[in-house]
């Protein structure tokens, strides 16, 4: 089972990044997830994906997204909720908390989306929403306390200055030791390369985990040697990224040094999905041992879709 923790299907082209082409809909994402992708000589698919709106679509935008408060939150989350309901076997909901729609509104929405709609993760995007995580305690503490109470994963966008440098989240990480924080993009985005900060935070704190996508290939080998095996989670940031390149980033670990580290396939499967599965109450699965086994699994998946 491969689980991608960072996907952004949309009916409206991302209002921040302004991607070319048609909107990257849920159906386009499903087609991309189905691959197949070749991993260690075996065809694979991405079985499940956490989905959320593109971050640019979680902001007031004149003429497109103009509602405020609770209505505004439900407006920017509407397509994600639609897809989670339509494809419950493939998509898992991730709620985006934007305190600028009102802290009370956002905290209530976290509870509603988790309890009523089954969402398993909450994302915080300090750079897009313009607040310093180390200074905005009045905005963050109520939301993180709700996440702690509900036991949901928290994904932090990190890699951008001035507001999404990984260490800016350190006070909140210390303040909420029961919350499992995922450092999204391994600290790499448009603003810089902060890979060593998520690595060190994960080494020093039991409740910090690292998303694999965006990490540098040579660094992931270094980090995987030291990080506890349950600390690396597969994520691709699709779109704009294409998931196959990030599968390859982890597959390389199975190669011989210096490019790899002779990683075994069971640990690779932990990185691909089993680590995440355990965190959200899903049963882990063994990797396919042969090409024939992998092909039979994909054929069975295709048959279920056709039925």
């Amino acid at each position: 089972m491969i689980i991608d923790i960072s996907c952004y299907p949309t009916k409206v082209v991302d209002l921040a990044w302004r991607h070319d082409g048609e909107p990257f809909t849920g159906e386009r994402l499903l087609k991309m997830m189905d691959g197949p992708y070749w991993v260690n000589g075996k065809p694979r698919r991405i079985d499940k994906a956490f989905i959320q709106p593109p971050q640019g679509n979680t902001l007031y935008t004149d003429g497109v997204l103009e509602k405020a408060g609770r209505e505004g939150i439900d407006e920017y989350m509407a397509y994600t909720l639609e897809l989670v309901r339509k494809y419950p076997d493939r998509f898992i909901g991730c709620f985006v908390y934007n305190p600028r729609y009102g802290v009370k509104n956002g905290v209530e929405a976290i509870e509603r989306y988790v309890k009523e709609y089954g969402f398993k993760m909450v994302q915080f995007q300090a750079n897009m929403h313009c607040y310093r995580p180390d200074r905005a305690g009045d905005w963050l503490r109520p939301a993180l306390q709700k996440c702690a109470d509900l036991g949901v994963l928290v994904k932090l966008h990190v890699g951008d200055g001035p507001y999404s440098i990984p260490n800016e989240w350190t006070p909140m990480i210390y303040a909420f030791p029961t919350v499992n924080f995922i450092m999204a993009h391994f600290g790499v985005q448009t603003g810089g390369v902060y890979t060593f900060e998520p690595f060190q935070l994960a080494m020093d704190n039991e409740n910090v985990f690292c998303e694999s996508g965006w990490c540098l290939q040579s660094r992931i080998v270094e980090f995987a040697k030291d990080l506890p095996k349950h600390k690396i989670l597969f994520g691709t940031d699709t779109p704009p990224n294409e998931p196959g390149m990030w599968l390859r980033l982890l597959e390389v670990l199975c190669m011989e040094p210096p490019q790899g580290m002779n990683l075994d396939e069971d640990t690779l499967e932990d990185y691909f999905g089993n680590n995440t599965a355990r965190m959200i109450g899903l049963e882990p699965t063994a990797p396919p041992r042969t090409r024939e086994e992998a092909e039979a699994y994909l054929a069975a998946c295709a048959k279920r879709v056709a039925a």
Side-chain angles (χ1 to χ4, degrees):
M1 178 166 48
I2 299 178
I3 303 175
D4 188 339
I5 65 171
S6 292
C7 292
Y8 309 86
T10 176
K11 290 195 297 187
V12 179
V13 172
D14 189 310
L15 297 169
W17 301 118
R18 316 294 291 183
H19 297 143
D20 295 332
E22 296 298 317
F24 195 83
T25 63
E27 286 68 32
R28 289 183 65 184
L29 175 58
L30 284 172
K31 184 177 180 180
M32 184 165 281
M33 289 167 61
D34 285 341
Y37 300 96
W38 289 86
V39 178
N40 289 330
K42 297 180 277 289
R44 304 295 301 274
R45 74 167 191 167
I46 297 171
D47 296 274
K48 297 180 184 292
F50 281 85
I51 62 169
Q52 62 187 76
Q55 300 299 332
N57 297 5
T58 63
L59 303 164
Y60 175 92
T61 302
D62 188 52
V64 184
L65 299 169
E66 298 183 305
K67 295 179 181 178
R70 174 172 170 154
E71 288 186 343
I73 292 170
D74 287 340
E75 182 179 40
Y76 71 66
M77 291 302 306
Y79 187 56
T80 299
L81 179 57
E82 175 186 331
L83 290 175
V84 167
R85 287 171 161 171
K86 188 175 182 180
Y87 304 105
D89 59 326
R90 303 298 299 277
F91 292 150
I92 306 167
C94 175
F95 178 80
V96 178
Y97 173 73
N98 182 351
R100 294 186 178 276
Y101 281 79
V103 172
K104 183 174 183 292
N105 293 326
V107 172
E108 289 176 350
I110 290 172
E111 182 164 26
R112 183 157 41 93
Y113 278 77
V114 171
K115 288 187 173 181
E116 295 184 20
Y117 308 141
F119 281 37
K120 303 292 186 183
M121 182 185 292
V122 177
Q123 165 126 10
F124 292 74
Q125 224 288 13
N127 227 48
M128 191 72 74
H129 300 153
C130 297
Y131 60 86
R132 274 180 56 180
D134 56 337
R135 298 286 291 174
D138 55 334
W139 286 2
L140 294 177
R141 287 178 180 274
L144 289 172
Q145 185 59 58
K146 181 59 66 175
C147 292
D149 295 343
L150 295 170
V152 293
L153 301 176
V154 168
K155 185 171 61 168
L156 306 176
H157 172 93
V158 289
D160 287 310
Y163 304 127
S164 290
I165 297 170
N167 277 338
E168 290 179 301
W169 281 100
T170 302
M172 293 299 122
I173 289 170
Y174 288 160
F176 293 92
T178 64
V179 171
N180 287 325
F181 291 95
I182 301 169
M183 310 302 280
H185 322 318
F186 226 117
V188 180
Q189 276 296 287
T190 58
V193 178
Y194 300 94
T195 56
F196 286 92
E197 290 186 18
F199 165 70
Q200 199 60 55
L201 285 166
M203 290 294 292
D204 293 344
N205 298 275
E206 292 185 3
N207 62 325
V208 178
F209 302 79
C210 294
E211 179 192 78
S212 62
W214 284 95
C215 193
L216 310 179
Q217 187 264 315
S218 56
R219 297 288 83 79
I220 195 70
V221 180
E222 292 180 12
F223 298 152
K225 289 177 181 178
D226 290 327
L227 281 168
K229 291 182 178 180
H230 66 287
K231 290 276 189 168
I232 296 177
L233 310 178
F234 175 68
T236 67
D237 211 18
T238 298
N241 289 338
E242 186 276 330
M245 63 181 294
W246 303 121
L247 288 166
R248 176 64 174 159
L249 177 83
L250 294 176
E251 179 194 25
V252 164
L253 297 175
C254 296
M255 294 173 57
E256 295 182 356
Q259 289 84 5
M261 52 182 285
N262 290 320
L263 188 75
D264 62 278
E265 289 198 348
D266 288 302
T267 302
L268 180 66
E269 201 72 8
D270 284 344
Y271 294 166
F272 277 162
N274 283 340
N275 286 342
T276 300
R278 295 182 186 100
M279 295 171 80
I280 61 173
L282 295 179
E283 190 70 25
T285 58
R289 302 302 179 183
T290 65
R291 176 173 173 172
E292 291 73 22
E293 183 181 334
E295 289 174 343
Y297 172 73
L298 293 185
C301 291
K303 186 176 180 180
R304 287 198 298 270
V305 172

